[in-house]
Every structure is written in C-alpha cells, then in structure tokens.
Amino acid sequence: MTYRELWHSLVPLYGKGEARAVTDYVLDVYFGLSKADVMCGAVEDMVAEKQAELYRLFLRLLQGEPVQYVVGRAEFGGRWFFVRPGVLIPRPETEELCTLITSEWKEKKDANVLDIGTGSGCIAITLALDMPQSHVTAWDISQDALAVAQANARRLGADLKFERRDALALQPRGEEWDVIVSNPPYICNKEKKDMTANVLDHEPHSALFVPDDRPLLFYTAITRYAHSTLRPGGALYFELNPLYADQTADMARQTGFAEVAVKNDMYGKKRMMKAVKHPPQPSQREGA
C-alpha cells in the first residue's frame, strides 16, 4: 500500500486531517519513519515483511481500535508509556494534573505520594521521576493494569511501589500521606451517547464509567480515605468530570476539607480539584 492509500483508507473513520495524523503516528512511532522519509517513498520501499506488518496494523485501525493500542504505546508528559487493551489510554488533560502537583511539591523532601487507580502508571511514574525526593506508591484493582504500570516503571527507571487495592474498599492501615491523587472512573452511563466508538468499543469500561445515580461513587470513597490518612497540610488532587465538579468540591468540604479549589484545564473545563487537609484547631475550654 502507498502512503496515500493508507491514510485514504482511514478517512471514513476519522476525516482527512485526522486520518493523515493517525497514519503519520503509526509510521513514526512504530516504524521510525519521519515525514521526510515518507515523502521520499519509505512506505513504498518497505520490505515485504514490514509491508505485511503495516497492513495488519491498519486492519486493526479500520476496526476502530485506538491507534495507541495498535502501536502499543502512548506519549504522556514527554515520555512514552506502554498501553494495551484493558488499560486506559493516558490523556493530555491528566498531564496538567501532574504539572499542578509537581509545581507545588517538587521541592519538598520525603513526601509520601499515593496514586489511586494508577492504570498505565502515567501519573505515579511521572511524579516519581519529576519529584525524585518523594516516595511514590501506586494502587489499582486490575492486575493487568499493575503489570503494565510495572513494565513502564522499569523501562523509564522510576522507583516506586505498586499494590493491588480496591478504591471502593479502602481502609486506613496506619499509613500517612502528604499527597493523594486520583483520576478515577467518572463518566456516567448517560454520557455514552456523546462518546466516540473507538473509546466505547475498546477502552476498559471499568476505568471509565460509573452509575448515573452515583456519579461521585469513587470520589466519595477516596475522599473519605484521604481525610483519614493525609497528614495535616497534605493535599488531595482529583481529575474531575466537569459536569459534577462543583458537587465533588462540595462533597470534599462536607467530608472535612477546609481548603478546596476547582481548576480549569487547557480547554476551559472544570477538570482538576485540590483539597488541603488543615491541622485540627485547638479546642477551647468552656468559659475561657
């Protein structure tokens, strides 16, 4: 297949602009071909074995499979992470959450950091690499996700701990944290109608969706745990569903967090929340 034939085959799924971008992504990331290589005929000059491999990849793309799964990796924060079906693909908005945390905690020594629902490990590994003075732990209920996250940590040289824990059944075990961060499942089933088929058909629903009548299911469980285990001055960070951002913030205040702020992402959507645990106020004696 020629380069033109490749990207033209994807036009019905993506439109012209995105079809070319997806094609360029495959050729660059998987085969190491630059735009200049492609313009000089590198696709047409591929040996038969590579042509057959390229054809197999495009068959998967034509079935609507996300390009990140097809090539087996996704870029996040300037680094490449392994991804595969069953593990959520990292999003650019989540990079902003990491940037927010590192801007506030990078210079602090020996901070204990917890990522709940780590998936590919993109948040936890980014924090471990960008805040080398911290101690990072990552939890997920999925053994497949933990295997991918551990492989990413090894390849990127990140030093952190992984454990299998259920975000909906967290009980304090004497641990104390300075930072807890989570990008939990937050899309309601009723929102599916507005989502693309490649996400609905291929990405893990357990990492995406919550019941319509319990949109704060994971947020509530994690916030309660965080309020019990964060040290005074510690902070809880969430990626948010913009539709329920204000409700999530109100829930955090009701749980006992005194300093709660919702922040917009690059698209102007309410996408991040920070909640600080204040030290307990000294009690006053009656009549004092």
Side-chain angles (χ1 to χ4, degrees):
M1 297 179 72
T2 67
Y3 172 67
R4 180 179 175 83
E5 289 171 335
L6 285 173
W7 72 261
H8 266 256
S9 71
L10 299 179
V11 169
L13 282 176
Y14 292 102
K16 287 185 178 181
E18 191 172 356
R20 293 192 70 157
V22 169
T23 301
D24 292 344
Y25 187 93
V26 172
L27 295 173
D28 179 16
V29 176
Y30 196 90
F31 293 97
L33 298 179
S34 68
K35 192 68 173 177
D37 294 330
V38 172
M39 292 299 100
C40 291
V43 173
E44 292 76 11
D45 293 340
M46 279 183 174
V47 298
E49 182 181 350
K50 291 292 185 183
Q51 279 275 359
E53 193 170 6
L54 179 62
Y55 181 70
R56 288 194 295 271
L57 296 181
F58 268 74
L59 285 179
R60 293 172 64 184
L61 289 171
L62 288 168
Q63 296 299 315
E65 189 171 351
V67 65
Q68 294 90 342
Y69 288 157
V70 171
V71 301
R73 68 194 80 171
E75 188 176 9
F76 183 88
R79 301 181 178 97
W80 288 98
F81 286 78
F82 296 129
V83 292
R84 67 187 186 200
V87 177
L88 193 67
I89 297 169
R91 263 60 173 187
E93 298 93 324
T94 310
E95 293 182 30
E96 296 186 69
L97 183 64
C98 291
T99 300
L100 173 63
I101 296 170
T102 55
S103 69
E104 297 179 344
W105 290 88
K106 185 175 183 178
E107 302 305 322
K108 295 181 172 61
K109 294 183 178 180
D110 298 322
N112 284 336
V113 179
L114 173 63
D115 174 26
I116 299 177
T118 196
S120 66
C122 60
I123 292 176
I125 292 168
T126 297
L127 298 181
L129 293 172
D130 291 349
M131 304 193 310
Q133 299 184 95
S134 298
H135 310 285
V136 180
T137 299
W139 293 347
D140 205 289
I141 194 173
S142 166
Q143 199 63 55
D144 286 342
L146 288 171
V148 170
Q150 288 170 324
N152 281 320
R154 286 193 297 270
R155 189 179 67 82
L156 292 169
D159 182 17
L160 66 161
K161 295 190 298 184
F162 294 95
E163 295 179 29
R164 190 178 186 188
R165 297 281 294 272
D166 183 354
L168 296 179
L170 298 176
Q171 295 295 330
R173 300 177 181 176
E175 64 269 39
E176 291 185 328
W177 309 102
D178 297 289
V179 172
I180 295 178
V181 57
S182 184
N183 177 19
Y186 61 63
I187 302 173
C188 290
N189 287 310
K190 63 185 179 183
E191 298 177 68
K192 287 181 179 179
K193 65 182 186 300
D194 299 319
M195 299 177 68
T196 58
N198 63 340
V199 173
L200 287 174
D201 295 344
H202 297 279
E203 295 203 57
H205 284 205
S206 61
L208 289 169
F209 296 107
V210 289
D212 289 344
D213 60 344
R214 302 182 70 188
L216 305 188
L217 176 64
F218 284 87
Y219 292 111
T220 301
I222 293 169
T223 300
R224 289 173 178 167
Y225 171 80
H227 193 260
S228 297
T229 57
L230 279 171
R231 293 169 174 157
L236 169 64
Y237 296 85
F238 278 135
E239 182 169 321
L240 301 172
N241 182 336
L243 295 176
Y244 300 99
D246 293 335
Q247 290 184 33
T248 307
D250 289 341
M251 178 272 298
R253 295 184 185 98
Q254 292 167 10
T255 304
F257 285 93
E259 185 180 330
V260 180
V262 173
K263 300 178 183 294
N264 291 348
D265 64 13
M266 67 184 85
Y267 305 110
K269 294 184 177 181
K270 296 178 178 179
R271 185 68 67 180
M272 295 165 282
M273 189 193 84
K274 174 187 175 183
V276 177
K277 181 179 178 180
H278 283 185
Q281 297 298 314
S283 59
Q284 295 184 349
R285 293 177 300 171
E286 291 185 14

